C-alpha cells in the first residue's frame, strides 16, 4: 500500500501573528481520514517509534513516502523546512495544506494550498467533511498524474532526483512504515475515541486518545512513539492521575525539549498534582514554565497557565506579587488573543484587587481597578457574542462555557436582563451539574465582592462601578 507522510506539529500550537491557538491533532485527525479514504497509509513524525534523534526516520520518510502533505498552519518553521527538503528530493506528489487565515509568507503564489477552517480546539463537523472530501480528491488527482509540483524541479527541469542504490548504507534503509506500528489496546478509549476534558470554568481543551505505537522484540525493549506517550499522558490527565501524567510528560520532554505544548502540559499536570504540597507543586510548575519566558512571551496558552498558577499561589500565600503577576499574565493573554477565558479571569481578578486596595484604604487604586474590570467585561462581550451568532459547530460543552462567560460578564456589569438571557441559554444545553455549579459559585463570589466594593465607595450595591 502506498504511504503518506504528514509534515505537521502536534498538540496545540500558537499562531503568533494573531495569538490564536490551534489544536493540530484535530487537523491531523481529518487529514488522516482523507488520506486513508484515498487508499494510502498515513503517518506523522510523532507516530514513529524510534530511539535517539527523529532526524533519520524523518528524512527517510521525506525521501521515500509516495505522498507528503505539509501543514503550514501557525507558520511552523519546521514544517516549512521539511517541505523544502521534500521539494528538493522529489519532483512530484507533495500537497500543502493550511488553515484559512494562513497568509503565505513565501514568494510561491503559484503553488496551490488546500485550505480548511479551524475553530481553535477542533474543526466543525461540516467543515471536517468538506476538507476530508476535498483532500481525498486532491490526493487521487495528484497520484493519477506524473505532473511535477516541486518548484525546484519546475524551474530546474534538467535536475535529476537523488537515487539511493540497494544496499547503499544507512541512507538506503527502507522508510519506516505505519504497518510497523503495533497498536496496543487503550482501556479508556476503546478504539481511539475522542475524549473532551474541560480544564477550567471558561476553557475547554480536547484530548484525543489514539493508538499506542510500539516496536520491539523479545530481545529488545519496545520503543514508544512521542504520540503514544502524549496520548497516555493526556488520558491520565483526563482521569485525574496527574502524578502519572507528569511522569510521562517528563519522559516526553526529554524527547522533545523544545516543544512548548509538552512544556505547557507538564506544567499543568505538575500544579494539578498538588504534590508534595499544593504550594510546592505550584512553585515547581512555575519553574517549568520559566523555560518558555512568560515575562516576554506572546503565547496566550503560556500566559493563561502563568496566570492560573499565580492566581492559585495567591490563594495560598496571599502575596500581592502573585496576584499582580496573575493579572498581568491574563491581561497580556487577553490583549493578544481577545478571548473569553483570559478576559473573564482578568475582570474577576481586577475586581478582587480593587476590593483589597479599598480595604487597605487606597480609594484611587480600588476605583481604578473596578472601572478597568467593567471595561474588560464589555470587551469580553464584544469579542464573545459573535462566537454564538456564527454558525460554528463547537459542541455543547464549549458552547456552554461561551454562554457562561457572557452570563458572568453581564452580571458583573449589572445588566440583569441580559444576564438572565445568557443564563437561560446556558441552562438549556443541559450540561453536567458541576458546570452550572462552577458558574454559580463564580458569580456568587463576584456579587459578594461588588457589594463590598460598593459599600466602601459609598455607592448603591446594585449598581457596579461603570
Amino acid at each position: 500500500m502506498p504511504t503518506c507522510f504528514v509534515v505537521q506539529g502536534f498538540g496545540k500550537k500558537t499562531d503568533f501573528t494573531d495569538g490564536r491557538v490551534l489544536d493540530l491533532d484535530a487537523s491531523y485527525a481529518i487529514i488522516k481520514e482523507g488520506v486513508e479514504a484515498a487508499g494510502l497509509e498515513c503517518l506523522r513524525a510523532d507516530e514513529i517509534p524510534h530511539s535517539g534523534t527523529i532526524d533519520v526516520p524523518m528524512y527517510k520518510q521525506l525521501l521515500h513516502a509516495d505522498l507528503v502533505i505539509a501543514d503550514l498552519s501557525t507558520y511552523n518553521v519546521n514544517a516549512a523546512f521539511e517541505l523544502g527538503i521534500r521539494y528538493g528530493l522529489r519532483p512530484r506528489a507533495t500537497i500543502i495544506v493550511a488553515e484559512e487565515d494562513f497568509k503565505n509568507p513565501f514568494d510561491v503564489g503559484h503553488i496551490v494550498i488546500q485550505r480548511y477552517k479551524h475553530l481553535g480546539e477542533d474543526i466543525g463537523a461540516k467543515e471536517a467533511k468538506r476538507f476530508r472530501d476535498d483532500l481525498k480528491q486532491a490526493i487521487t488527482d495528484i497520484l493519477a498524474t506524473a505532473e511535477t509540483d516541486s518548484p525546484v524541479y519546475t524551474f530546474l527541469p534538467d535536475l535529476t532526483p537523488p537515487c539511493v542504490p540497494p544496499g547503499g548504507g544507512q541512507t538506503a534503509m527502507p522508510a519506516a512504515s505505519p504497518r510497523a506500528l503495533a497498536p496496543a489496546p487503550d482501556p479508556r478509549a476503546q478504539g481511539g475515541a475522542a475524549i473532551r476534558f474541560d480544564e477550567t470554568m471558561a476553557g475547554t481543551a480536547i484530548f484525543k486518545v489514539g493508538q499506542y505505537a510500539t516496536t520491539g522484540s523479545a530481545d529488545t525493549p519496545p520503543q514508544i512513539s512521542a504520540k503514544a506517550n502524549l496520548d497516555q499522558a493526556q488520558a491520565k490527565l483526563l482521569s485525574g492521575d496527574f502524578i502519572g501524567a507528569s511522569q510521562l510528560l517528563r519522559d516526553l520532554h526529554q524527547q522533545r525539549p523544545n516543544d512548548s505544548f509538552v512544556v505547557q502540559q507538564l506544567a499543568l499536570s505538575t500544579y494539578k498534582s498538588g504534590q508534595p504540597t499544593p504550594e510546592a507543586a505550584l512553585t515547581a510548575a512555575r519553574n517549568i514554565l520559566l523555560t518558555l519566558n512568560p515575562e516576554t512571551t506572546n503565547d496566550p496558552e503560556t500566559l493563561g497557565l502563568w496566570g492560573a498558577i499565580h492566581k492559585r499561589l495567591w490563594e495560598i500565600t496571599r502575596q500581592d506579587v502573585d496576584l499582580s503577576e496573575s493579572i498581568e499574565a491574563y491581561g497580556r493573554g487577553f490583549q493578544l488573543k481577545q478571548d473569553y477565558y483570559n478576559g473573564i479571569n482578568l475582570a474577576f481578578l481586577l475586581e478582587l484587587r480593587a476590593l483589597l486596595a479599598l480595604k487597605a484604604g487606597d480609594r484611587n487604586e480600588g476605583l481604578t481597578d473596578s472601572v478597568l474590570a467593567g471595561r474588560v467585561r464589555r470587551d469580553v462581550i464584544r469579542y464573545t457574542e459573535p462566537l454564538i451568532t456564527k454558525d460554528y459547530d463547537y459542541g455543547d460543552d464549549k458552547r456552554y462555557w461561551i454562554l457562561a462567560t457572557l452570563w458572568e460578564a453581564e452580571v458583573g456589569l449589572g445588566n440583569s436582563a441580559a444576564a438572565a438571557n445568557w443564563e437561560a441559554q446556558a441552562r438549556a444545553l443541559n450540561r453536567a451539574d458541576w458546570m452550572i455549579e462552577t458558574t454559580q459559585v463564580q458569580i456568587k463570589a463576584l456579587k459578594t465582592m461588588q457589594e463590598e466594593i460598593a459599600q466602601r465607595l459609598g455607592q448603591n450595591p446594585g449598581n457596579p462601578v461603570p
Side-chain angles (χ1 to χ4, degrees), residues 368-389:
T368 298
D369 275 342
S370 190
V371 169
L372 286 175
R375 289 179 179 175
V376 170
R377 289 191 180 98
R378 283 189 286 274
D379 284 340
V380 167
I381 293 169
R382 179 161 57 93
Y383 296 140
T384 307
E385 275 189 331
L387 300 180
I388 292 298
T389 58

Side-chain angles (χ1 to χ4, degrees), residues 144-206:
T145 68
E147 185 175 339
T148 297
D149 53 50
S150 164
V152 176
Y153 292 92
T154 297
F155 294 107
L156 299 174
D158 296 330
L159 190 64
T160 301
C163 178
V164 181
Q170 184 184 49
T171 57
M173 293 175 65
S177 168
R179 286 172 289 186
L181 306 181
D186 172 22
R188 293 188 55 81
Q190 294 297 319
I195 298 177
R196 297 190 68 93
F197 170 75
D198 287 282
E199 155 57 14
T200 63
M201 179 199 72
T204 303
I206 295 179

Side-chain angles (χ1 to χ4, degrees), residues 34-344:
V35 170
E36 292 177 345
L40 287 77
E41 291 182 294
C42 190
L43 182 68
R44 193 171 63 174
D46 59 307
E47 294 178 317
I48 302 175
H50 67 94
S51 58
T53 178
I54 185 62
D55 291 351
V56 173
M58 178 194 74
Y59 285 124
K60 290 178 183 175
Q61 288 291 336
L62 291 172
L63 173 62
H64 292 291
D66 299 284
L67 173 71
V68 165
I69 295 177
D71 187 352
L72 300 184
S73 301
T74 73
Y75 300 85
N76 187 324
V77 293
N78 288 328
F81 173 74
E82 293 169 33
L83 171 63
I85 292 173
R86 171 67 175 191
Y87 276 153
L89 293 174
R90 297 284 292 267
R92 62 185 60 87
T94 302
I95 294 175
I96 302 177
V97 302
E99 59 87 26
E100 66 176 3
D101 289 336
F102 173 82
K103 298 176 181 62
N104 197 337
F106 307 111
D107 187 18
V108 287
H110 59 284
I111 296 179
V112 176
I113 299 179
Q114 302 288 331
R115 301 280 183 167
Y116 63 92
K117 180 182 292 186
H118 206 303
L119 303 181
E121 284 87 3
D122 59 3
I123 299 173
K126 288 189 293 186
E127 173 63 7
K129 182 181 184 307
R130 182 206 63 79
F131 179 53
R132 179 175 58 246
D133 292 345
D134 286 357
L135 185 59
K136 175 186 174 183
Q137 187 61 52
I139 294 170
T140 302
D141 292 344
I142 201 170
L143 294 181
T145 68
E147 185 175 339
T148 297
D149 53 50
S150 164
V152 176
Y153 292 92
T154 297
F155 294 107
L156 299 174
D158 296 330
L159 190 64
T160 301
C163 178
V164 181
Q170 184 184 49
T171 57
M173 293 175 65
S177 168
R179 286 172 289 186
L181 306 181
D186 172 22
R188 293 188 55 81
Q190 294 297 319
I195 298 177
R196 297 190 68 93
F197 170 75
D198 287 282
E199 155 57 14
T200 63
M201 179 199 72
T204 303
I206 295 179
F207 296 135
K208 300 168 187 64
V209 181
Q211 293 180 327
Y212 294 96
T214 63
T215 61
S217 66
D219 299 321
T220 61
Q223 299 170 11
I224 302 177
S225 71
K227 185 176 189 303
N229 266 333
L230 184 61
D231 286 344
Q232 292 183 60
Q234 292 182 325
K236 287 183 181 295
L237 275 171
L238 179 60
S239 68
D241 182 6
F242 301 115
I243 295 175
S246 294
Q247 293 170 344
L248 287 166
L249 287 163
R250 278 194 292 270
D251 292 341
L252 185 57
H253 184 43
Q254 291 181 342
Q255 288 180 274
R256 306 178 70 96
N258 298 319
D259 193 296
S260 60
F261 180 70
V262 173
V263 175
Q264 291 162 355
Q265 294 295 288
L266 178 57
L268 173 64
S269 62
T270 298
Y271 95 68
K272 285 284 189 180
S273 74
Q275 298 297 320
T277 66
E279 184 176 356
L282 288 164
T283 301
R286 177 185 180 278
N287 292 336
I288 290 168
L289 274 188
L290 281 173
T291 62
L292 299 181
N293 301 312
E295 296 87 354
T296 58
T297 186
N298 59 349
D299 185 340
E301 291 296 296
T302 297
L303 290 168
L305 277 169
W306 190 251
I309 288 169
H310 283 277
K311 176 184 176 183
R312 285 159 178 77
L313 277 171
W314 178 85
E315 291 170 350
I316 295 173
T317 67
R318 290 297 195 269
Q319 295 291 317
D320 290 344
V321 65
D322 288 318
L323 181 58
S324 294
E325 192 74 22
S326 182
I327 288 173
E328 182 180 351
Y330 281 131
R332 286 170 53 210
F334 183 54
Q335 184 178 28
L336 287 165
K337 196 176 179 182
Q338 299 178 342
D339 66 314
Y340 59 88
Y341 169 67
N342 280 303
I344 204 67

Side-chain angles (χ1 to χ4, degrees), residues 432-451:
D433 290 343
W434 71 266
M435 296 169 72
I436 294 288
E437 291 168 3
T438 298
T439 305
Q440 289 176 319
V441 168
Q442 180 85 348
I443 289 176
K444 181 179 179 181
L446 172 61
K447 287 181 174 179
T448 300
M449 281 196 302
Q450 288 189 332
E451 287 172 0

